[in-house]
Amino acid sequence: MPVIKIGMWSGRDAATKEKLIQNVTKTVCDTLKCAPEAVIIIIEDIPKENWGQGGKPGG
């Protein structure tokens, strides 16, 4: 059972997340030849102020 964890900045709406889940699930199933029911997608909404890149905060 594949488990896919996606961390991204918070603020995207439910419809966008739903589309992301559908597209990632399809790609995983096509690649691994598994049923959609076997794929688990976990989305972590992380505030920009909790990100950093290149030694600088993201927010």
Side-chain angles (χ1 to χ4, degrees):
M1 159 179 6
V3 177
I4 311 300
K5 192 172 188 180
I6 301 169
M8 60 185 184
W9 287 339
S10 56
R12 292 176 175 89
D13 61 31
T16 300
K17 292 178 192 178
E18 182 177 351
K19 187 172 183 176
L20 176 62
I21 290 168
Q22 290 170 352
N23 290 337
V24 170
T25 299
K26 181 181 182 327
T27 299
V28 169
C29 291
D30 290 347
T31 303
L32 300 180
K33 308 297 185 223
C34 64
E37 296 76 23
V39 179
I40 296 172
I41 308 290
I42 301 167
I43 296 176
E44 289 186 296
D45 283 325
I46 305 168
K48 284 187 178 184
E49 62 267 13
N50 291 348
W51 283 71
Q53 184 173 0
K56 298 178 182 177

